[in-house]
Every structure is written in C-alpha cells, then in structure tokens.
C-alpha cells in the first residue's frame, strides 16, 4: 500500500508545553495545524508533564505572585546563574513576554495557584500550575481538539527534506509504519537529547551510564540531529544541562519531580569516601538546585549522599522514597555503605566549624562555618540530633542545553534568511541557558518561544 501523506499549513513536531503553545497560536492565526507527538497518548507532554511552575516577571502583586519581580532583577538572576553565558536580547525577550504569558495560558483553560510554603522561596517569582504540569498539558490538549488541531501520537519524525533552507516534506513512523508529512512551515519543539544514552556517553564518557533521566524517555534528539545535519547552527554546550541531584533509588527514566531531593542545603553532602566536596549553602535553593546533578556527576561512580539530622525533618519536601536512618552517624554510614569512621570524622569536623547564628532556611541567614574547606555559607547547623538520616544521590538529567540557534522570530539559523523552520522549547533553550538554571525558566522559554514560533510559522505559511 502507498504511504499515507499528512498535510497541514503548520506541522509542530513535539507535544509538550512549547509545542502546544505553538500549535494553539498558529491556529489563532488561521493556519491548519498538525502536531506529531513521538510518545503514546498516555505519556504525551514530554518533560512538561513533570513540571510545577514557570518564572514570571511582574511589576506588582498578582493573584498568585507576591510583591514584584522586575525585568532587571530577573535578568540579574539569570546572568548570575549562567555566568553571563546567555544571548541577552533573547533573554530579555523571554523575560518581558513572561509578564503576558500567564493571561494567554489562562485563556486556554490553564489555572494557577500561589506557591507552596516552606523551602521553595518562589512565592514572588514563580506562578504554580494548579494540578501541576500534567493538568497544564491536559488543558492545552482539551483546547486544541475543538479548534481543529490534529494530534498524532506514536509519531517519530525520521527524515526532513529541506531545499534552499526551506522545509518541503518529511518522513515519520506512525505507529511503526512509514508515512510522509508536508507543510508550509514547521515548528521543532521536540526537546533535547537527554534520553539518548549513546549520545550522552559520547559527551560524558562512561560516567553517563550512571545518570538517571528524570523526564520522558522519548527525548532522544532525533529532530535536533536531523537539523544539525542540514546545516542548522547550534547554540549551547553539549555538556551543559539541567541536572539535579535525585534519589539514587529512582528509575532510569521518568521518575519525575517526586525523586528530587530538597534537603541538600539543610545538611552536608558527601561522596562515596564520606568527604564533602561543595558548599551546600551557597545560595537559595531555586538558584542552586540545578548545579547539583553536575556536581554529583563529577564524583567517583557518580554517587553522593545527603546527611541530615532530626532538626530539619519537615523543613523540605522529601523524596518519594523514605530516608535511610541510623541512631548514630556510624550506624547511618553502615546503612548507606559509607566508611563509618570517615563519615564520623567528616561530621565532627563540620560540627566544630559551625559558628553561632540565627537559623532561617527561607533567607540567606548568618549560620555559617569557619575554617572549613569547602565552607558552608548559610544554614550551617551541627548535625547532632539523632536519629540521623541519609539519602543516596545520583545525577538526574532533566534536559540538555545543546540545541539549534534561533533569532527573535524563533527562526532556525544557518538554513537561510527565508527559512520556514522555527524552534521552541528545550531544543533551543541553550540560546538563553548557556549553563546553570533558574527554577521555572524552562517552562517560560517554552511558553514564550512557543507562541513566537507558532505566530511566525503561520505567517510563513501565508496565514
């Protein structure tokens, strides 16, 4: 039988936050839209279904955000975590449009709520999705269906046919069978390559074998590789990624946000030799949690351990897995598989270095160490109240930063000035995130550039 031919004004490859923002916006502009989602229906949404919030600029309090979060402060936070490795005009575009994105999302049924209390420090900066990322994605899909946006699942793009920088057609495996798709414009919104274990190992070497993938197993970088092969310019370092320390007992793929551990700033973190290796209290957790995956990845066997005592229980959201406990530091070490005497020495050295202060885990307090290397700059309390608790840590990769370079119109660079190929979401996030991470920024990039890509794709399609 001949291969089926799928046609639309705009084809969006990828069914996460960025992809659906692009699809809905293109449809607003009058274009017919087809979404090709690699995952089956029950796993649609990519990494977006595991998210909780997005970072938003605002000049005054809103229904879910307190105080204000200005463009200058937002940019300063981004420059600090990236070390200046960002494309500033694109970063400012994301920041400014984040002030308007929420209202647009609400118009498609997305609902927000104030941030949770506790250790998140996000009530002023991040708008939380009511029901989380899965509810967000369900709202988008519920809005797409009555608007005539066609969604095909189990649809893996395998070829792109590009002539003079313009997309003409492509090949897709649809439920395992070959098909052809044609469009006047394409939006690439299919994520990074974090689930491609062979590609990760090319970049990281054998260490990648011990990485856990927090999100979808379907982000294998196929479309990214196809665009690179066609001459698309790249942005971002392949070794840079959003990588957090997650519970070492998590599954290889798709463990999601419940495997993240937020207790690290409240105790100490040691490697397999029971030695500390970084300042656990360097800055507020939303500005530092995404560096810990890389830090753990740099340790022998890519494993570390968070050690806390009873004083901090209840001050953080625990992992879905219960902590490992011990009535003494030595017994905890044995339960974790650490050398008991060495962990006892590390804890004693830490405790001796703690200076008096007023503990407050919601601000940069004055509880610190003195004469200790590495130091602990904030939230330093002696680990002395039994029982003691420990969690094994592994690098949890959320998404990789290598992607295609885009301009302010979301047009993929390197294919020609008249290209009809646009990109949004994690596949182009490296333009803004050279390294490091700010909590909620990935979703903001996807929402802002998804809408830009959808609008520009519709325009390129003549709509």
């Amino acid at each position: 039988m001949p291969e089926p031919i799928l046609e639309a004004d705009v084809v969006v490859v990828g069914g996460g936050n960025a992809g659906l923002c692009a699809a809905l916006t293109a449809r607003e502009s009058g274009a017919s839209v087809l979404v090709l989602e690699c995952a089956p229906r029950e796993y649609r949404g990519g990494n977006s279904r595991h998210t909780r919030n997005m970072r938003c600029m605002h000049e005054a309090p809103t229904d879910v955000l307190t105080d204000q979060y200005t463009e200058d402060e937002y940019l300063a936070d981004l420059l600090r975590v990236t070390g200046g490795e960002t494309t500033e005009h694109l970063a400012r575009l994301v920041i400014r449009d984040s002030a308007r994105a929420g209202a647009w999302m609400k118009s498609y049924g997305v609902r927000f709520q104030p941030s949770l209390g506790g250790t998140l420090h996000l009530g002023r900066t991040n708008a939380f999705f009511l029901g989380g990322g899965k509810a967000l994605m369900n709202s988008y899909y519920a809005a797409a269906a009555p608007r005539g946006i066609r969604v095909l699942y189990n649809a893996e793009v395998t070829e792109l046919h590009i002539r003079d920088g313009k997309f003409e057609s492509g090949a897709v495996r649809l439920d395992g069978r070959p098909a052809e798709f044609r469009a006047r414009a394409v939006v690439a919104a299919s994520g990074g390559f974090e689930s491609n274990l062979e590609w990760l190992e090319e970049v990281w070497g054998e260490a990648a074998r011990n990485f856990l993938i927090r999100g979808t197993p379907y982000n294998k970088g196929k479309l990214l590789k196809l665009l690179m092969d066609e001459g698309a310019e790249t942005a971002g370092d392949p070794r840079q990624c959003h990588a957090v320390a997650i519970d070492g007992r998590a599954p290889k793929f798709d463990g999601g946000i419940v495997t993240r551990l937020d207790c690290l700033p409240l105790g100490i973190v040691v490697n397999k030799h029971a030695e500390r290796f970084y300042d656990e209290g360097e800055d507020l957790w939303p500005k530092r949690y995404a560096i810990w995956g890389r830090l753990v990845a740099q340790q022998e066997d890519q494993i570390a351990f968070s050690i806390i005592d009873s004083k901090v229980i209840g001050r953080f959201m625990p992992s879905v897995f219960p902590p490992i406990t011990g009535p003494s530091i030595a017994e905890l070490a044995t339960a974790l598989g650490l050398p008991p005497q060495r962990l006892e020495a590390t804890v004693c050295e830490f405790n001796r270095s703690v200076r008096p202060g007023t503990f407050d885990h919601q601000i940069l307090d004055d509880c610190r160490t003195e004469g200790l290397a590495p130091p602990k700059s904030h939230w330093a309390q002696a680990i002395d109240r039994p029982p003691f608790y420990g969690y094994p840590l592994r690098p949890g990769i959320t998404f990789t930063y290598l992607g295609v370079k885009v301009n302010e119109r979301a047009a993929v660079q390197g294919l020609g000035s008249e290209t009809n190929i646009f990109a949004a979401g994690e596949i182009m996030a490296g333009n803004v995130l050279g390294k490091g991470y700010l909590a909620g920024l990935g979703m903001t990039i996807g929402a802002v550039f998804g809408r830009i890509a959808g609008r520009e794709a519709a325009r390129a399609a003549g709509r």
Side-chain angles (χ1 to χ4, degrees), residues 76-261:
D77 285 344
L78 177 62
L79 292 174
R80 183 160 53 251
V81 299
T82 61
E85 294 185 27
T86 186
T87 307
E88 186 170 329
H89 74 282
L90 297 183
R92 285 189 180 274
L93 188 159
V94 168
I95 292 168
R96 290 169 182 162
D97 198 64
S98 71
R100 297 180 289 272
W104 180 88
M105 294 164 76
K106 287 179 182 178
S107 73
Y108 285 106
V110 176
R111 299 171 67 190
F112 292 91
Q113 66 180 26
S115 73
L116 304 175
T119 62
L120 291 176
H121 318 286
L122 296 175
R124 189 170 65 86
T125 59
N126 289 47
F128 278 68
F129 311 126
L130 182 64
K134 196 162 188 177
L136 167 80
M137 295 311 306
N138 286 343
S139 296
Y140 284 150
Y141 279 100
R147 288 168 172 80
I149 296 172
R150 188 181 180 193
V151 180
L152 297 178
Y153 300 104
N154 298 302
E156 182 183 19
V157 173
T158 57
E159 294 178 27
L160 296 177
H161 304 141
I162 298 172
R163 180 182 295 178
D164 298 327
K166 287 194 172 185
F167 172 84
E168 294 185 341
S169 67
V172 58
R173 292 198 68 79
L174 190 59
D175 292 319
R177 298 180 179 179
E180 181 183 354
F181 66 99
R182 299 172 183 172
R184 292 174 173 161
V186 167
V187 176
S190 56
F193 67 88
E194 65 275 2
S195 298
N196 187 326
L197 302 181
E198 292 77 16
W199 198 345
L200 283 181
E201 192 166 344
E202 286 178 21
V203 175
W204 282 88
E206 291 186 7
R209 298 176 186 176
N210 290 324
F211 293 177
L212 303 177
I213 314 305
R214 297 176 71 207
T216 176
Y218 298 97
N219 281 7
K220 296 187 176 181
K222 181 73 174 181
L223 187 62
L224 172 60
K225 187 68 166 61
L226 290 173
L227 288 169
M228 291 167 60
D229 288 345
E230 291 288 342
E233 293 183 48
T234 60
D237 182 342
R239 286 180 63 87
Q240 296 292 338
C241 54
H242 181 303
V244 306
I246 67 173
D247 198 300
R249 297 163 289 181
K252 186 68 174 178
F253 293 99
D254 230 14
I257 202 162
V258 296
T259 63
R260 193 177 93 189
L261 285 168

Side-chain angles (χ1 to χ4, degrees), residues 226-456:
L226 290 173
L227 288 169
M228 291 167 60
D229 288 345
E230 291 288 342
E233 293 183 48
T234 60
D237 182 342
R239 286 180 63 87
Q240 296 292 338
C241 54
H242 181 303
V244 306
I246 67 173
D247 198 300
R249 297 163 289 181
K252 186 68 174 178
F253 293 99
D254 230 14
I257 202 162
V258 296
T259 63
R260 193 177 93 189
L261 285 168
D262 292 338
C263 56
L264 279 64
L266 303 177
I268 61 172
V269 179
V270 300
N271 59 23
K272 66 177 289 187
H273 304 294
E275 298 167 340
R276 291 177 63 248
F277 53 88
Y278 198 79
D279 182 349
E280 302 91 347
E282 185 177 39
D283 203 343
L284 295 173
W285 190 231
K287 299 176 184 177
R288 285 296 178 269
Y289 78 96
I291 71 171
W292 278 92
R294 287 180 58 82
L295 293 171
V296 174
Q298 292 163 0
Q299 304 308 304
E300 186 176 342
D301 292 340
Q302 295 72 55
I303 193 164
F305 301 86
S306 176
I307 310 295
I308 57 176
D309 71 3
S310 297
K311 290 195 296 295
V312 300
I313 293 296
R315 295 184 183 273
F316 63 93
M317 290 190 296
S319 166
V320 67
F321 301 99
I324 296 167
T325 64
S328 68
I329 291 296
E331 289 167 290
L332 176 63
T334 299
L336 291 170
L338 293 168
Q341 290 184 329
R342 186 69 196 107
L343 184 60
E344 282 184 315
T346 295
V347 171
C348 285
E349 182 185 19
F350 174 79
N351 289 350
R352 285 195 302 268
S353 73
V354 172
R355 301 277 71 85
T358 302
F359 177 81
D360 187 340
H361 67 289
Q362 301 204 63
I363 64 171
L364 295 174
D365 69 10
D366 60 351
C367 292
R368 60 181 180 83
T369 61
E370 189 174 286
L372 186 68
K376 185 172 183 184
S377 301
H378 305 283
W379 315 299
Q381 297 186 105
I383 299 173
D384 58 5
R385 184 180 297 174
F388 302 96
Y389 301 90
Y391 290 93
L393 307 173
R394 288 283 187 190
I397 309 299
T398 309
F399 67 93
T400 46
Y401 288 178
L402 176 68
V404 293
K405 186 177 181 180
V406 298
N407 63 13
E408 63 280 356
R409 296 175 45 249
V412 175
Q413 301 297 281
L415 302 178
S417 60
E418 301 300 320
T419 187
N420 59 353
I421 303 175
F422 304 88
E426 292 171 4
I427 199 171
M428 50 65 62
N431 289 268
V432 177
L433 286 165
K435 66 178 182 180
Y437 192 68
L438 279 176
L441 183 56
M443 291 298 286
T444 308
I445 294 171
V448 171
F449 267 93
R451 293 167 65 212
I452 294 171
R455 181 188 70 225
E456 296 298 328

